[in-house]
Amino acid sequence: MLFRSLDGPAEVRAAVTTEPRWRPALVQLSDGWAGGLRPSALQTIGSGALFSRLDSSAAAVSRLFAADGPVLAFPWAFNPWVLLLRNRPDLERRGAEGWDLLLDPSLTGALVLPSSPRVVIELAQGDGERLRRLRRQALAFDDRDGLNLLLDGRAEALVIPRQQVVPLLRRDPRLAVVLPEQGAPLGWNLLLSPAGSAAAPLEWLAEILQPPLLPRVLAAGWVPPLPSTVLEPIVAPFPPAIRRLLNPPAAVLARCRSLPPLTPQERLRLQALWDGAEPPAA
């Protein structure tokens, strides 16, 4: 079996939608990128036995959010966005305030936000005034280098997917994380099979959904969408803060929000909201 790493999501999508010299049997994309693929570019994937092991929340994602479409994706991991703090025990103690912490005056010019306007709008709860205030807070909107800005001290807070946080918390005592009680925007990591490619057997994935591989996957920050009762004994040996991050309370997960593809009308509405909240020029 041949594995090939591509430079980024756009290159992966091109491998699916064009006629390359090689056509992959299996690709991985985040749901934000996968949602831009036409269903005709993909073929059904996986088996009922494998999908039956996942939590019911993964069902809509497996159909790429189509109400009654075919199963075109295997959602093998999910990622809520979280707030990562560096040397800010005062804000950590106020974690019950959730995303309101982003507007704390002490974080003005010391906060790194996602580069995705849609995620930032979600963090602002779709409120234009909150969005305007939040954009004024930002040192940068940067998914690529935001973590470096935090770790080298130029920023004190960063909104980042959970997966990147878990390995850091295990080795850097300066860091603390808040997953707000009111939930968070939620991203998914998907496996897809391009139409016309050789069938991609996924039964090997069963191995990462159980010990001995599952604890290693969790330690790297990847969390399969398994029922909480399945994850609970697996995460028990982890430190409490990481344990709660890997297997949040059901009420918190219920308030996490996936981001289905936007209709053209929704895209225009969010663009207008974003444009209307642009901070004044310095």
Side-chain angles (χ1 to χ4, degrees):
M1 184 179 293
L2 175 67
F3 295 90
R4 183 175 297 186
S5 177
L6 299 177
D7 288 340
E11 288 76 15
V12 176
R13 286 183 62 191
V16 174
T17 57
T18 62
E19 294 292 337
R21 285 174 293 179
W22 63 281
R23 180 169 290 280
L26 201 62
V27 298
Q28 177 190 272
L29 279 172
S30 66
D31 57 326
W33 286 92
L37 291 171
R38 301 185 312 276
S40 59
L42 303 169
Q43 60 191 10
T44 58
I45 193 171
S47 68
L50 191 59
F51 277 90
S52 69
R53 302 184 62 173
L54 304 183
D55 185 76
S56 59
S57 61
V61 188
S62 71
R63 299 189 299 270
L64 297 181
F65 301 103
D68 55 359
V71 172
L72 297 174
F74 184 81
W76 74 274
F78 71 103
N79 257 316
W81 291 79
V82 299
L83 176 59
L84 185 63
L85 302 169
R86 178 185 181 273
N87 289 335
R88 291 302 305 265
D90 57 324
L91 295 183
E92 182 187 2
R93 288 191 293 270
R94 293 164 48 199
E97 298 177 30
W99 295 118
D100 286 346
L101 291 175
L102 299 177
L103 299 175
D104 190 88
S106 69
L107 289 181
T108 303
L111 170 65
V112 180
L113 291 171
S115 56
S116 165
R118 188 178 182 189
V119 174
V120 178
I121 290 172
E122 284 286 325
L123 297 174
Q125 302 167 26
D127 180 271
E129 180 55 32
R130 287 179 62 88
L131 179 59
R132 185 176 294 106
R133 293 171 59 197
L134 185 55
R135 291 183 64 178
R136 288 197 194 106
Q137 292 283 87
L139 168 68
F141 298 84
D142 194 334
D143 291 340
R144 182 183 294 262
D145 295 316
L147 192 53
N148 290 332
L149 293 174
L150 183 84
L151 294 178
D152 70 13
R154 283 178 283 173
E156 296 178 3
L158 166 68
V159 179
I160 186 173
R162 171 184 61 187
Q163 187 277 323
Q164 298 180 53
V165 171
V166 173
L168 289 172
L169 289 178
R170 295 168 64 88
R171 62 177 185 264
D172 193 332
R174 302 172 301 172
L175 303 179
V177 66
V178 175
L179 174 56
E181 294 289 329
Q182 70 261 46
L186 191 64
W188 295 82
N189 294 88
L190 310 176
L191 292 174
L192 308 157
S193 183
S197 65
L202 293 185
E203 301 314 314
W204 55 271
L205 279 171
E207 299 299 319
I208 71 167
L209 301 181
Q210 62 195 22
L213 290 184
L214 181 55
R216 300 181 192 176
V217 172
L218 293 170
W222 300 107
V223 182
L226 295 168
S228 179
T229 52
V230 174
L231 287 173
E232 185 174 2
I234 308 298
V235 303
F238 288 87
I242 297 179
R243 186 164 66 235
R244 187 182 184 281
L245 197 58
L246 293 172
N247 191 27
V252 174
L253 282 179
R255 291 189 284 268
C256 289
R257 307 169 298 282
S258 296
L259 304 177
L262 296 169
T263 65
Q265 294 80 7
E266 290 169 333
R267 188 176 298 278
L268 287 173
R269 181 181 64 81
L270 293 184
Q271 185 66 59
L273 181 63
W274 181 260
D275 292 344
E278 184 174 0

